[in-house]
Amino acid sequence: MKNCLSGNIKEVISNLFLFRKRTLLLNNVFAIVAALLMSFSLLAGILEMFILGRFIMGIDAGVSLSALPMYLSEISPKQIRGSLGQITAIFICIGVFSGQVLGLPEIFGKESLWPYLFAMIIVPSTLQVGVLPFLPESPRFLLLEKNDTKAAEKAFQKFLGKSDVSHEIEEIQKESRVERNIQVASVFQLLRDNTKRWQILTVVVMMACYQLCGLNAIWFYTNDIFRGAGLSPETIPYVILSTGAVEILAALFSGLVIERVGRRPLLIGGFGLMVFFFVILTLCMSLQEQAVWLRYLSIFCILAIIASFCIGPGGIPFILTAELFPQSQRPAAFMIAGITNWLCNFIVGLLFPFIQEGLQTYCFLVFAAICLVGATFLFWVLPETKKKTLAEINQAFAKKKMPLETQEMGHFDPKGKSSEVQESNFCHSLGNEKSKGDMA
């Protein structure tokens, strides 16, 4: 967890001084160095090399899970913003499945071959180093933070495959009128912004539930459940491939329907389905000695929980983190999301052995309760962001009031108040432009 937190801190620093694409490109250096350290640690006989490699690999993961969703959100038209954003989750699932395949006994799944398995990390990193230089920089980043209109136009033309990108440039320029005099916000400045309280709380809840929803517990119990269903130890690695395949199919399904169904139903529905199947799985594992068929139902519940996670909670929190904040606050928002993500991951790794030892199979009810709380919160707080502009999303959140918010705003820092006034004027100006368009 510590190395991933370091990655998120580095990611924000990088995004303040480097371009989005350059951050992703340089991040591959961490992956390649980590792969070399881990793969040669056995040959050198130095355990510290492996530990250092794991630390550096965590930095790479922390940067990737923040910079990549941010880059994808900034290059995407709002009509397909969710589908492109889901690419992060899709390729995470592909990576998990690839690891399962490479870990088979016939490939690298033997004790003497594990250094070669870690060396395979170099392959995708080298591929990125070869491909990323040919991709344009984020047009939103170029226009809003670098004030380079020509470069932004060229980037949009290359991404969209058309010469006339005036509509896309105009949409960003509407936001630039507000952000013209606003510098990139730090984490503390974002936390002190009264107008973003609900957005910050939503991101924290989503990321906390992302790690605390119990998927790690599912992976912990997978071998035992498959073994209890009568599968031999030699067969289990091949059956486990079905979990990776289900992940990919569920993530692909989410990417195909997210622009039709919306983020909100998929996210809340995913947590709701996880609650249902966690309860069924608990009953099956408690009563499986009384009926053999319950063991096979347990396998189905495992696959259903994995699919429910990948349909919504597995990728949509990263999409929403980018959609809920303006350009100047987006790096800080991703830092808050990343810290929450890896801190909760650390908590799960620390506490789950004690929860499992104390509750046994009933530990799934703890995760069901967390998913239920998360789904309930999002049901009442999270608005739909599908095909909406930042101003429309802010207006939806503005209808929700924190307790004593009015009194606190009277003592708020003038800078924060200025940001609020500018955002209000932005929403008002967009409304006027829309009205003029309707009159025309």
Side-chain angles (χ1 to χ4, degrees), residues 366-379:
V366 175
F367 301 116
I370 292 174
C371 291
L372 181 61
V373 171
T376 303
F377 174 86
L378 294 172
F379 177 82

Side-chain angles (χ1 to χ4, degrees), residues 104 326 351 363 367 407:
L104 292 175
L351 298 182
C363 68
F367 301 116
Q407 291 86 338

Side-chain angles (χ1 to χ4, degrees), residues 32-49:
I32 294 173
V33 171
L36 292 174
L37 285 172
M38 291 187 290
S39 58
F40 284 105
S41 61
L42 180 62
L43 182 63
I46 302 175
L47 177 63
E48 288 76 11
M49 287 179 61

Side-chain angles (χ1 to χ4, degrees), residues 196-351:
K196 294 295 184 293
R197 287 185 176 181
W198 281 111
Q199 289 92 319
I200 295 171
L201 186 57
T202 300
V203 167
V204 169
V205 171
M206 286 191 303
M207 287 301 174
C209 292
Y210 174 83
Q211 288 290 353
L212 301 177
C213 66
L215 198 69
N216 292 330
I218 289 296
W219 293 118
F220 180 85
Y221 271 102
T222 298
N223 286 353
D224 292 337
I225 293 175
F226 285 164
R227 195 178 299 112
L231 299 176
S232 63
E234 296 78 14
T235 309
I236 289 177
Y238 302 95
V239 179
I240 287 180
L241 292 178
S242 63
T243 61
V246 167
E247 279 189 324
I248 295 175
L249 293 175
L252 285 171
F253 172 79
S254 178
L256 292 173
V257 304
I258 189 172
E259 296 300 348
R260 297 182 182 180
V261 178
R263 288 81 159 135
R264 177 183 156 90
L266 290 175
L267 183 60
I268 298 174
F271 279 128
L273 288 173
M274 291 181 74
V275 172
F276 175 76
F277 288 112
F278 269 133
V279 173
I280 300 299
L281 180 59
T282 302
L283 294 175
C284 291
M285 294 188 67
S286 301
L287 303 174
Q288 63 181 356
E289 299 298 331
Q290 301 180 17
V292 178
W293 61 271
L294 289 177
R295 300 176 181 178
Y296 300 100
L297 184 57
S298 297
I299 296 177
F300 173 79
C301 288
I302 284 181
L303 298 178
I305 290 170
I306 293 173
S308 302
F309 176 81
C310 294
I311 285 174
I316 292 178
F318 298 99
I319 299 173
L320 289 174
T321 301
E323 291 183 331
L324 299 184
F325 296 91
Q327 188 80 10
S328 61
Q329 296 178 334
R330 199 166 288 141
F334 269 98
M335 185 174 182
I336 293 172
I339 291 175
T340 304
N341 186 355
W342 297 114
L343 182 62
C344 291
N345 180 275
F346 174 75
I347 292 173
V348 169
L350 186 67
L351 298 182

Side-chain angles (χ1 to χ4, degrees), residues 52-77:
L52 179 61
R54 293 282 291 176
F55 181 86
I56 296 175
M57 197 67 231
I59 295 177
D60 174 83
V63 173
S64 297
L65 281 180
S66 295
L68 179 58
M70 193 185 308
Y71 179 72
L72 290 175
S73 70
E74 292 179 0
I75 68 173
S76 307

